[in-house]
Amino acid sequence: MHPRSARAARHGGGVSAILEAEGLKKHFRSGGGLFEKPTVIRAVDGVSFAVEKGETLAIVGESGCGKSTVGRMLMRLIEPTAGSVSFEGQDLVGLDAAGLRRLRGEMQMVFQDPFSSLNPRMTVADIVGEPLWLHGEGSTKARREKTLDLLQTVGLRPDHADRYPHEFSGGQRQRIGIARALASSPRLVIGDEPVSALDVSIQAQVINLLEDLKERFALTLIIIAHDLAVIRHMSDRVIVMYLGKIVEVAPTASLYAEPLHPYTRALLSAIPLPIPGVRAERRLLEGDIPSPANPPSGCRFHTRCPFAQERCRVEEPLLRGSEGRLAACHFYETLPPETAGRALGPADSPAKARRLALYKDHRRRQEIGARPDAPIETTTPRGELTP
Ligand code: SF4
């Protein structure tokens, strides 16, 4: 197997990776002086993954897990402390300014805050058309026409072109940011929390827009988010990060149906189950996320993990698994089964029936305190399992 393909497969991706990150680290130094050592903040601490052409990869985790830092390192908006990033086999970390400028046309970023990411003194036409001007594309007239086309593509009107960002709503400003990102005809777009600053009703519109644009322009998307509900319907694969490390990688449907890592389980338990009358048992994580300046020994999640054992405190778990499912937990194969009601398929599908049966079985065992493998009475009347 080609070394690139082997690496991509090891990181949970396929063989046609458009982007690969290998051993990516970002350590920030803070404080320090004549008699004091600086504190090293390990924002990202050895992250490797591959993104396949045409896929939508989500990177999720709580604030401070390092996901946005990863996004910025992929674009080289901040320099990695160690590791490499390659786009179609070309190393980004070693590129000079000219090479980077050229490659930036192929990779674009949509930022979280649609207001502060747009220059308030520039008109919408100037903001969207600036990348065209920077890349010396076409005449002034051609650039103007392309700008108006882009505005229409993202659902804005041509007469919006000569207005300023403050004249638009949050959702419209994010559309302007997306139009600008599309101006250089990129092949990869990284959305850093692209909808988290928007009202819930507007979030769905922007998500739909990103999905439409992905199809229309054959884009590859990386969506960075803290909310698993946001990426559920738009991503093909999910990377879960905790305290600067990847703890789980899985195809989206598998992750929602059966999360392997205890941290992923806790994140998913915060999402309401779409079963009428059934409330999910919410697993609140105890304690704050530890400081990346002083991460816990062994498994970084052991200070908050309900399944932690002595081995977890001393030995760091490797990211391991098969068939695109990876988890960094010593015991993920032997943990109690996760409730199986989270990824309901179409109504009355066999998959839904099976998951509901598993879910009911799991709840029944919880109620009577039965072990996962112990035989139990399975003729619970319908509706009895409502908590
Ligand atoms: Fe929890 Fe231990 Fe697994 Fe870490 S390795 S997630 S502490 S069970």
Side-chain angles (χ1 to χ4, degrees):
M1 191 186 279
H2 189 281
R4 253 181 79 199
S5 310
R7 231 177 18 240
R10 208 168 58 237
H11 299 154
V15 294
S16 54
I18 187 169
L19 183 110
E20 289 180 71
E22 180 82 26
L24 217 46
K25 291 185 183 181
K26 184 64 195 179
H27 296 174
F28 296 101
R29 285 176 181 271
S30 139
L34 204 52
F35 304 108
E36 197 189 356
K37 278 170 88 174
T39 306
V40 178
I41 297 162
R42 299 164 192 277
V44 177
D45 210 10
V47 161
S48 302
F49 61 91
V51 189
E52 280 193 71
K53 262 186 205 124
E55 83 167 331
T56 300
L57 175 74
I59 305 180
V60 299
E62 291 169 290
S63 297
C65 71
K67 57 192 186 300
S68 292
T69 309
V70 168
R72 283 169 163 73
M73 282 194 285
L74 296 180
M75 293 288 297
R76 256 190 77 187
L77 296 175
I78 53 178
E79 294 294 334
T81 308
S84 65
V85 180
S86 62
F87 182 78
E88 297 218 303
Q90 185 167 16
D91 180 23
L92 257 73
V93 178
L95 275 183
D96 62 10
L100 197 56
R101 209 165 30 247
R102 186 178 45 74
L103 217 63
R104 284 239 174 94
E106 312 240 5
M107 300 169 63
Q108 285 291 318
M109 198 153 187
V110 176
F111 294 93
Q112 174 180 6
D113 183 347
F115 195 68
S116 61
S117 64
L118 304 177
N119 188 334
R121 292 190 193 83
M122 289 169 76
T123 64
V124 169
D126 289 341
I127 290 169
V128 174
E130 189 179 42
L132 302 172
W133 177 76
L134 284 172
H135 289 99
E137 209 177 289
S139 63
T140 306
K141 185 166 174 273
R143 287 198 296 268
R144 172 84 182 179
E145 277 169 10
K146 183 159 182 191
T147 301
L148 298 184
D149 267 0
L150 283 166
L151 291 180
Q152 280 183 307
T153 301
V154 299
L156 295 172
R157 297 193 310 268
D159 64 283
H160 285 142
D162 298 314
R163 298 192 197 170
Y164 289 86
H166 73 269
E167 298 176 63
F168 294 89
S169 67
Q172 286 174 320
R173 285 197 291 259
Q174 195 57 297
R175 286 173 190 269
I176 297 167
I178 293 169
R180 180 188 161 96
L182 292 176
S184 59
S185 307
R187 286 190 289 152
L188 175 80
V189 173
I190 301 174
D192 184 8
E193 304 261 14
V195 297
S196 58
L198 306 176
D199 290 344
V200 175
S201 57
I202 308 296
Q203 285 185 356
Q205 292 175 14
V206 174
I207 288 172
N208 289 343
L209 173 66
L210 284 169
E211 285 182 318
D212 289 349
L213 295 174
K214 183 195 161 187
E215 291 301 317
R216 185 163 163 190
F217 296 105
L219 297 172
T220 302
L221 292 180
I222 298 178
I223 302 293
I224 295 164
H226 66 274
D227 184 350
L228 271 92
V230 164
I231 52 94
R232 178 175 187 164
H233 298 292
M234 69 180 303
S235 63
D236 302 307
R237 211 155 52 90
V238 182
I239 286 178
V240 183
M241 283 188 69
Y242 182 77
L243 212 56
K245 297 248 183 198
I246 292 176
V247 296
E248 184 157 358
V249 183
T252 308
S254 314
L255 187 100
Y256 281 84
E258 193 189 1
L260 299 182
H261 197 280
Y263 177 61
T264 316
R265 292 177 175 209
L267 287 182
L268 283 175
S269 78
I271 303 176
L273 277 175
I275 308 174
V278 175
R279 268 188 297 115
E281 181 192 340
R282 189 166 178 183
R283 279 174 219 83
L284 289 178
L285 283 175
E286 286 182 10
D288 292 329
I289 188 165
S291 166
N294 188 21
S297 61
C299 174
R300 292 185 175 199
F301 188 55
H302 85 251
T303 52
R304 303 168 83 193
C305 179
F307 307 107
Q309 299 178 33
E310 189 48 37
R311 182 181 170 194
C312 309
R313 284 175 250 285
V314 292
E315 188 185 331
E316 184 174 347
L318 297 173
L319 192 61
R320 64 197 171 84
S322 59
E323 294 173 10
R325 294 222 62 181
L326 309 172
C329 171
H330 295 308
F331 306 112
Y332 77 78
E333 297 96 332
T334 52
L335 295 179
E338 176 59 316
T339 53
R342 300 190 180 284
L344 296 178
D348 303 325
S349 70
K352 175 181 173 181
R354 190 171 55 81
R355 283 194 290 269
L356 274 172
L358 279 170
Y359 178 60
K360 288 178 178 180
D361 180 75
H362 176 72
R363 293 306 306 262
R364 181 78 180 132
R365 286 173 194 281
Q366 280 188 328
E367 278 176 6
I368 62 176
R371 292 198 326 269
D373 55 347
I376 59 165
E377 180 66 62
T378 54
T379 54
T380 311
R382 196 177 173 85
E384 193 181 281
L385 290 164
T386 304

